[in-house]
Amino acid sequence: MRILVVGGAGYVGSHMTKLLRETRHEPVVLDNLSSGFREAVLGAELIVGHLADRMLLERVLRERRFDAVMHFASSIQVGESLADPARYYRNNVAATLNLLECMVHAGVSCLVFSSSAAVYGEPARAPLDEDHPRAPVNPYGRTKWMVEQVLGDFDRAYGLRHCCLRYFNAAGADPAGLLGERHDPETHLIPLALRAAGGALPALQIFGTDYDTPDGTCIRDYVHVADLCRAHLLAIERLLGGAPSRAYNLGNGAGYSVRQVVEAAGRASGRPVPVIEAPRREGDPTRLVADASRARAELGWRPKYDLDAIVRHACAWEQRSARRRVPAAPSAVRS
Ligand code: UDP
Protein backbone atom coordinates (compact mmCIF):
# COMPACT_ATOMS: atom_id res chain seq x y z
CA MET A 1 0.00 0.00 0.00
CA ARG A 2 1.19 3.51 -0.74
CA ILE A 3 0.07 5.63 2.18
CA LEU A 4 0.29 9.34 2.88
CA VAL A 5 1.13 9.68 6.58
CA VAL A 6 0.09 13.18 7.61
CA GLY A 7 1.92 14.11 10.80
CA GLY A 8 4.36 11.23 10.30
CA ALA A 9 7.20 13.08 12.04
CA GLY A 10 5.26 13.19 15.33
CA TYR A 11 4.98 10.67 18.13
CA VAL A 12 2.43 8.13 16.89
CA GLY A 13 2.93 9.00 13.20
CA SER A 14 6.66 8.26 13.28
CA HIS A 15 6.09 4.85 14.87
CA MET A 16 3.45 4.18 12.20
CA THR A 17 5.80 5.11 9.38
CA LYS A 18 8.38 2.69 10.77
CA LEU A 19 5.77 -0.09 11.01
CA LEU A 20 4.60 0.55 7.44
CA ARG A 21 8.18 0.22 6.22
CA GLU A 22 8.70 -2.96 8.23
CA THR A 23 5.54 -4.46 6.73
CA ARG A 24 6.71 -3.59 3.20
CA HIS A 25 4.31 -0.78 2.51
CA GLU A 26 5.26 2.55 1.05
CA PRO A 27 4.67 5.47 3.42
CA VAL A 28 5.24 9.08 2.37
CA VAL A 29 5.25 11.56 5.25
CA LEU A 30 3.73 15.04 5.11
CA ASP A 31 4.60 17.11 8.18
CA ASN A 32 5.24 20.79 8.80
CA LEU A 33 7.69 19.95 11.62
CA SER A 34 5.88 22.33 13.99
CA SER A 35 5.95 19.64 16.66
CA GLY A 36 7.46 16.68 14.81
CA PHE A 37 11.11 15.94 14.13
CA ARG A 38 12.83 15.29 10.83
CA GLU A 39 15.05 12.60 12.39
CA ALA A 40 11.96 10.68 13.58
CA VAL A 41 11.05 9.85 9.97
CA LEU A 42 12.89 6.58 9.48
CA GLY A 43 13.35 5.33 5.95
CA ALA A 44 10.55 7.26 4.27
CA GLU A 45 10.28 10.33 2.10
CA LEU A 46 9.40 13.47 4.07
CA ILE A 47 7.50 16.31 2.42
CA VAL A 48 7.72 19.38 4.64
CA GLY A 49 4.48 21.31 4.33
CA HIS A 50 1.29 22.37 6.03
CA LEU A 51 -2.14 20.80 5.69
CA ALA A 52 -3.56 24.24 5.08
CA ASP A 53 -1.43 24.52 1.91
CA ARG A 54 -4.09 23.64 -0.62
CA MET A 55 -1.85 23.73 -3.68
CA LEU A 56 0.73 21.46 -2.10
CA LEU A 57 -1.89 18.96 -1.00
CA GLU A 58 -3.66 18.92 -4.36
CA ARG A 59 -0.34 18.33 -6.10
CA VAL A 60 0.95 15.63 -3.71
CA LEU A 61 -2.33 13.71 -3.77
CA ARG A 62 -2.75 13.98 -7.54
CA GLU A 63 0.83 13.00 -8.42
CA ARG A 64 1.47 10.16 -5.98
CA ARG A 65 -1.65 8.02 -6.37
CA PHE A 66 -2.02 6.98 -2.74
CA ASP A 67 -4.17 4.03 -1.72
CA ALA A 68 -5.05 5.71 1.57
CA VAL A 69 -4.24 8.49 4.01
CA MET A 70 -3.46 8.20 7.71
CA HIS A 71 -3.99 11.49 9.52
CA PHE A 72 -2.06 12.01 12.76
CA ALA A 73 -1.39 15.75 12.60
CA SER A 74 -3.08 17.74 15.32
CA SER A 75 -2.59 19.98 18.32
CA ILE A 76 -3.08 17.79 21.37
CA GLN A 77 -2.93 19.68 24.65
CA VAL A 78 -6.19 20.09 26.52
CA GLY A 79 -4.96 23.07 28.59
CA GLU A 80 -3.67 24.90 25.54
CA SER A 81 -6.95 24.24 23.74
CA LEU A 82 -8.81 26.01 26.57
CA ALA A 83 -6.44 28.98 26.44
CA ASP A 84 -6.20 29.24 22.65
CA PRO A 85 -9.19 27.52 21.03
CA ALA A 86 -8.74 29.34 17.70
CA ARG A 87 -5.48 27.48 17.16
CA TYR A 88 -7.27 24.15 17.76
CA TYR A 89 -10.18 24.84 15.41
CA ARG A 90 -7.74 26.06 12.77
CA ASN A 91 -5.19 23.24 13.06
CA ASN A 92 -7.48 20.35 13.85
CA VAL A 93 -10.70 21.18 12.02
CA ALA A 94 -10.03 23.69 9.22
CA ALA A 95 -6.77 22.07 8.09
CA THR A 96 -8.38 18.62 8.17
CA LEU A 97 -11.28 19.88 6.06
CA ASN A 98 -8.72 21.01 3.51
CA LEU A 99 -7.17 17.54 3.48
CA LEU A 100 -10.54 15.85 3.06
CA GLU A 101 -11.55 18.06 0.14
CA CYS A 102 -8.23 17.45 -1.58
CA MET A 103 -8.66 13.69 -1.05
CA VAL A 104 -12.10 13.83 -2.67
CA HIS A 105 -10.72 15.80 -5.65
CA ALA A 106 -7.86 13.34 -6.07
CA GLY A 107 -10.10 10.28 -5.75
CA VAL A 108 -8.38 8.93 -2.60
CA SER A 109 -11.22 7.37 -0.68
CA CYS A 110 -9.84 5.74 2.48
CA LEU A 111 -8.72 7.55 5.63
CA VAL A 112 -7.65 6.50 9.10
CA PHE A 113 -8.13 9.37 11.51
CA SER A 114 -6.49 9.76 14.93
CA SER A 115 -9.39 10.57 17.19
CA SER A 116 -9.45 10.51 20.95
CA ALA A 117 -11.25 9.34 24.06
CA ALA A 118 -11.68 13.08 24.65
CA VAL A 119 -14.77 12.89 22.37
CA TYR A 120 -16.69 11.30 25.27
CA GLY A 121 -16.15 14.02 27.86
CA GLU A 122 -16.96 13.10 31.47
CA PRO A 123 -17.94 9.40 31.28
CA ALA A 124 -21.40 8.34 32.34
CA ARG A 125 -20.18 4.75 32.61
CA ALA A 126 -16.93 2.80 32.64
CA PRO A 127 -15.54 1.18 30.64
CA LEU A 128 -16.52 3.37 27.68
CA ASP A 129 -17.85 1.79 24.53
CA GLU A 130 -18.09 3.59 21.20
CA ASP A 131 -21.82 4.28 21.60
CA HIS A 132 -21.31 6.27 24.80
CA PRO A 133 -22.64 9.81 24.16
CA ARG A 134 -20.06 12.11 22.63
CA ALA A 135 -20.04 15.18 24.85
CA PRO A 136 -16.51 16.59 24.85
CA VAL A 137 -15.72 18.99 27.67
CA ASN A 138 -12.88 20.97 26.11
CA PRO A 139 -12.01 22.48 22.70
CA TYR A 140 -9.49 19.72 21.95
CA GLY A 141 -12.13 17.02 22.35
CA ARG A 142 -14.64 19.10 20.41
CA THR A 143 -12.25 19.39 17.44
CA LYS A 144 -11.92 15.59 17.32
CA TRP A 145 -15.67 15.07 17.52
CA MET A 146 -16.30 17.73 14.86
CA VAL A 147 -13.93 16.00 12.45
CA GLU A 148 -15.66 12.67 13.11
CA GLN A 149 -18.98 14.29 12.18
CA VAL A 150 -17.52 15.91 9.07
CA LEU A 151 -16.20 12.48 8.09
CA GLY A 152 -19.68 11.00 8.41
CA ASP A 153 -21.03 13.65 6.03
CA PHE A 154 -18.14 13.17 3.58
CA ASP A 155 -18.80 9.44 3.52
CA ARG A 156 -22.51 9.92 2.79
CA ALA A 157 -21.95 12.61 0.14
CA TYR A 158 -18.65 11.65 -1.50
CA GLY A 159 -18.01 8.04 -0.50
CA LEU A 160 -14.89 8.84 1.55
CA ARG A 161 -14.67 5.82 3.86
CA HIS A 162 -12.85 6.20 7.16
CA CYS A 163 -11.91 4.68 10.48
CA CYS A 164 -11.87 6.96 13.50
CA LEU A 165 -9.50 5.47 16.04
CA ARG A 166 -10.25 6.87 19.47
CA TYR A 167 -7.01 6.63 21.37
CA PHE A 168 -7.04 6.43 25.11
CA ASN A 169 -3.61 7.34 26.60
CA ALA A 170 -0.96 6.70 23.95
CA ALA A 171 2.31 5.86 25.70
CA GLY A 172 5.53 3.86 25.49
CA ALA A 173 8.19 3.77 22.82
CA ASP A 174 9.45 1.66 19.95
CA PRO A 175 10.46 -1.67 21.56
CA ALA A 176 13.63 -1.63 19.40
CA GLY A 177 14.59 1.71 20.95
CA LEU A 178 14.78 3.78 17.76
CA LEU A 179 11.83 6.08 18.44
CA GLY A 180 9.92 7.40 21.42
CA GLU A 181 7.76 10.13 22.82
CA ARG A 182 9.14 13.61 22.26
CA HIS A 183 7.00 16.66 22.87
CA ASP A 184 8.21 20.16 23.50
CA PRO A 185 7.12 21.11 26.07
CA GLU A 186 6.46 17.63 27.50
CA THR A 187 3.19 17.50 29.43
CA HIS A 188 2.50 13.74 29.60
CA LEU A 189 2.59 11.74 32.77
CA ILE A 190 4.90 8.85 31.90
CA PRO A 191 7.83 10.83 30.40
CA LEU A 192 7.61 13.40 33.20
CA ALA A 193 7.56 10.72 35.91
CA LEU A 194 10.62 9.09 34.34
CA ARG A 195 12.41 12.43 34.12
CA ALA A 196 11.68 13.06 37.78
CA ALA A 197 13.06 9.60 38.65
CA GLY A 198 16.20 10.31 36.61
CA GLY A 199 16.78 13.70 38.24
CA ALA A 200 16.06 15.80 35.11
CA LEU A 201 13.06 17.26 36.97
CA PRO A 202 13.01 18.06 40.70
CA ALA A 203 9.65 16.27 41.13
CA LEU A 204 6.53 15.11 39.35
CA GLN A 205 3.43 17.13 40.15
CA ILE A 206 0.40 14.94 40.80
CA PHE A 207 -2.57 16.92 39.49
CA GLY A 208 -5.35 16.29 41.98
CA THR A 209 -5.45 13.83 44.87
CA ASP A 210 -9.12 14.32 45.80
CA TYR A 211 -10.79 12.49 42.91
CA ASP A 212 -13.38 9.84 43.64
CA THR A 213 -11.00 6.93 42.98
CA PRO A 214 -9.37 4.41 45.36
CA ASP A 215 -6.20 6.50 45.84
CA GLY A 216 -7.68 9.92 44.96
CA THR A 217 -5.83 10.32 41.64
CA CYS A 218 -7.16 10.15 38.07
CA ILE A 219 -7.48 6.83 36.30
CA ARG A 220 -6.44 6.37 32.67
CA ASP A 221 -6.07 3.54 30.19
CA TYR A 222 -2.49 3.55 28.87
CA VAL A 223 -1.99 1.89 25.49
CA HIS A 224 1.35 1.16 23.85
CA VAL A 225 2.17 3.19 20.75
CA ALA A 226 3.21 -0.01 18.94
CA ASP A 227 -0.21 -1.53 19.69
CA LEU A 228 -1.90 1.62 18.37
CA CYS A 229 0.08 1.35 15.16
CA ARG A 230 -0.91 -2.29 14.64
CA ALA A 231 -4.54 -1.23 14.99
CA HIS A 232 -4.02 1.36 12.22
CA LEU A 233 -2.65 -1.28 9.93
CA LEU A 234 -5.62 -3.56 10.61
CA ALA A 235 -8.02 -0.65 10.11
CA ILE A 236 -6.56 0.41 6.78
CA GLU A 237 -6.51 -3.17 5.50
CA ARG A 238 -10.16 -3.51 6.46
CA LEU A 239 -11.12 -0.25 4.72
CA LEU A 240 -9.20 -1.13 1.58
CA GLY A 241 -11.00 -4.48 1.64
CA GLY A 242 -14.26 -2.53 1.22
CA ALA A 243 -15.51 -2.36 4.82
CA PRO A 244 -17.76 0.54 5.82
CA SER A 245 -16.69 3.50 7.93
CA ARG A 246 -16.40 2.80 11.63
CA ALA A 247 -15.13 4.22 14.94
CA TYR A 248 -13.04 2.11 17.30
CA ASN A 249 -11.79 2.63 20.83
CA LEU A 250 -8.14 1.78 21.29
CA GLY A 251 -7.17 1.05 24.87
CA ASN A 252 -6.05 -1.89 26.99
CA GLY A 253 -9.28 -1.93 28.99
CA ALA A 254 -7.33 -1.59 32.24
CA GLY A 255 -7.37 1.59 34.30
CA TYR A 256 -4.36 2.79 36.30
CA SER A 257 -4.21 5.72 38.68
CA VAL A 258 -1.54 8.40 38.50
CA ARG A 259 0.00 6.94 41.65
CA GLN A 260 0.10 3.46 40.09
CA VAL A 261 1.88 4.88 37.05
CA VAL A 262 4.34 6.64 39.36
CA GLU A 263 5.08 3.29 41.04
CA ALA A 264 5.57 1.61 37.65
CA ALA A 265 7.99 4.40 36.67
CA GLY A 266 9.90 3.79 39.90
CA ARG A 267 10.13 0.06 39.14
CA ALA A 268 11.25 0.61 35.54
CA SER A 269 13.91 3.17 36.39
CA GLY A 270 15.07 1.52 39.61
CA ARG A 271 14.64 4.83 41.47
CA PRO A 272 11.72 6.31 43.35
CA VAL A 273 9.87 9.14 41.63
CA PRO A 274 9.85 12.30 43.78
CA VAL A 275 6.32 13.76 43.74
CA ILE A 276 4.53 16.93 44.79
CA GLU A 277 0.78 16.94 45.28
CA ALA A 278 -0.73 19.75 43.18
CA PRO A 279 -4.26 21.02 42.44
CA ARG A 280 -6.40 19.38 39.76
CA ARG A 281 -5.60 20.23 36.14
CA GLU A 282 -8.54 21.86 34.38
CA GLY A 283 -10.40 19.63 31.94
CA ASP A 284 -9.27 16.25 33.34
CA PRO A 285 -12.08 13.67 33.66
CA THR A 286 -11.81 11.39 36.70
CA ARG A 287 -11.66 8.06 34.92
CA LEU A 288 -11.21 7.07 31.26
CA VAL A 289 -11.08 3.36 30.52
CA ALA A 290 -11.80 1.79 27.14
CA ASP A 291 -14.11 -0.97 26.21
CA ALA A 292 -12.17 -2.00 23.11
CA SER A 293 -14.19 -5.11 22.35
CA ARG A 294 -15.32 -3.74 18.98
CA ALA A 295 -11.71 -3.41 17.78
CA ARG A 296 -11.03 -6.90 19.09
CA ALA A 297 -14.07 -8.41 17.35
CA GLU A 298 -13.96 -6.56 14.04
CA LEU A 299 -10.26 -5.79 13.55
CA GLY A 300 -8.85 -8.77 15.44
CA TRP A 301 -6.79 -6.29 17.47
CA ARG A 302 -5.28 -7.46 20.74
CA PRO A 303 -2.91 -5.13 22.56
CA LYS A 304 0.35 -6.90 23.40
CA TYR A 305 1.85 -4.60 26.01
CA ASP A 306 0.77 -3.94 29.60
CA LEU A 307 1.59 -0.90 31.74
CA ASP A 308 4.94 -2.29 32.94
CA ALA A 309 6.11 -2.95 29.37
CA ILE A 310 4.91 0.50 28.29
CA VAL A 311 6.84 2.20 31.07
CA ARG A 312 9.93 0.01 30.53
CA HIS A 313 10.13 0.96 26.85
CA ALA A 314 9.49 4.62 27.67
CA CYS A 315 12.24 4.45 30.29
CA ALA A 316 14.79 3.02 27.83
CA TRP A 317 13.93 5.84 25.41
CA GLU A 318 14.15 8.54 28.11
CA GLN A 319 17.54 7.27 29.23
CA ARG A 320 18.84 7.41 25.65
CA SER A 321 17.39 10.88 25.15
CA ALA A 322 18.92 12.08 28.44
CA ARG A 323 22.34 10.87 27.29
CA ARG A 324 21.87 12.80 24.03
CA ARG A 325 20.88 15.94 25.95
CA VAL A 326 24.07 15.92 28.05
CA PRO A 327 26.47 18.23 26.21
CA ALA A 328 29.69 16.61 25.06
CA ALA A 329 32.69 17.40 27.25
CA PRO A 330 34.55 20.41 25.86
CA SER A 331 37.52 19.39 23.76
CA ALA A 332 40.97 20.43 24.95
CA VAL A 333 41.63 24.11 24.32
CA ARG A 334 44.86 24.89 22.58
CA SER A 335 46.70 27.94 23.72
N1 UDP B 1 -0.73 14.09 35.22
C1 UDP B 1 -0.15 14.45 36.43
N2 UDP B 1 1.03 15.15 36.39
C2 UDP B 1 1.65 15.50 35.23
C3 UDP B 1 1.04 15.13 34.00
C4 UDP B 1 -0.16 14.42 34.05
O1 UDP B 1 -0.67 14.16 37.50
O2 UDP B 1 2.69 16.16 35.27
C5 UDP B 1 -2.00 13.33 35.24
C6 UDP B 1 -3.14 14.03 34.52
O3 UDP B 1 -3.83 14.88 35.40
C7 UDP B 1 -3.98 12.84 34.05
C8 UDP B 1 -2.96 11.73 33.83
O4 UDP B 1 -1.79 12.14 34.54
O5 UDP B 1 -4.85 12.44 35.07
C9 UDP B 1 -2.59 11.54 32.37
O6 UDP B 1 -2.25 12.80 31.83
P1 UDP B 1 -1.52 12.98 30.45
O7 UDP B 1 -1.24 14.45 30.28
O8 UDP B 1 -0.35 12.05 30.34
O9 UDP B 1 -2.59 12.49 29.37
P2 UDP B 1 -4.12 12.93 29.15
O10 UDP B 1 -4.95 12.04 30.03
O11 UDP B 1 -4.25 14.38 29.46
O12 UDP B 1 -4.33 12.63 27.69
Side-chain angles (χ1 to χ4, degrees), residues 37-293:
F37 299 91
R38 187 181 290 278
E39 58 275 22
V41 180
L42 300 181
E45 180 186 356
L46 167 65
I47 300 169
V48 178
H50 201 287
L51 270 188
D53 184 343
R54 183 82 176 218
M55 280 188 13
L56 172 73
L57 275 182
E58 294 273 10
R59 182 164 53 74
V60 167
L61 284 164
R62 205 179 43 242
E63 285 175 358
R64 304 301 182 96
R65 307 203 163 277
F66 291 105
D67 296 298
V69 174
M70 290 185 176
H71 178 20
F72 297 92
S74 80
S75 300
I76 59 162
Q77 288 177 41
V78 168
E80 187 185 55
S81 80
L82 287 158
D84 188 5
R87 176 190 172 93
Y88 278 68
Y89 292 109
R90 190 168 50 249
N91 286 349
N92 296 4
V93 181
T96 298
L97 185 59
N98 203 40
L99 170 67
L100 301 182
E101 287 193 73
C102 292
M103 286 178 66
V104 171
H105 291 162
V108 182
S109 60
C110 288
L111 173 82
V112 177
F113 173 62
S114 300
S115 188
S116 166
V119 300
Y120 298 116
E122 189 63 54
R125 55 179 185 266
L128 285 155
D129 56 72
E130 290 84 353
D131 296 326
H132 181 286
R134 269 73 73 200
V137 291
N138 52 58
Y140 167 69
R142 276 190 280 276
T143 64
K144 293 291 178 182
W145 177 228
M146 280 179 189
V147 170
E148 288 201 17
Q149 291 171 288
V150 170
L151 284 170
D153 290 335
F154 268 56
D155 186 356
R156 281 183 286 276
Y158 314 121
L160 195 157
R161 280 175 306 113
H162 60 273
C163 269
C164 294
L165 300 181
R166 297 179 183 154
Y167 304 173
F168 281 64
N169 283 59
D174 172 34
L178 299 181
L179 292 168
E181 188 163 9
R182 192 172 163 199
H183 297 112
D184 189 14
E186 188 52 76
T187 60
H188 291 99
L189 176 62
I190 292 176
L192 291 177
L194 291 166
R195 284 179 202 179
L201 272 183
L204 173 82
Q205 295 188 68
I206 296 186
F207 294 140
T209 54
D210 59 347
Y211 285 97
D212 183 18
T213 60
D215 68 16
T217 65
C218 283
I219 291 180
R220 293 286 179 275
D221 182 338
Y222 296 88
V223 53
H224 198 293
V225 63
D227 283 325
L228 288 180
C229 292
R230 281 191 311 103
H232 284 69
L233 205 51
L234 294 165
I236 206 88
E237 283 167 355
R238 191 167 181 280
L239 277 179
L240 289 169
S245 298
R246 202 74 161 130
Y248 295 101
N249 283 342
L250 298 181
N252 278 354
Y256 291 96
S257 72
V258 173
R259 289 196 202 278
Q260 286 176 310
V261 172
V262 165
E263 279 162 25
R267 284 195 295 278
S269 60
R271 297 182 201 153
V273 178
V275 297
I276 299 173
E277 296 188 359
R280 291 181 176 202
R281 190 173 66 176
E282 196 185 351
D284 273 342
T286 305
R287 186 189 304 262
L288 288 173
V289 180
D291 173 348
S293 45

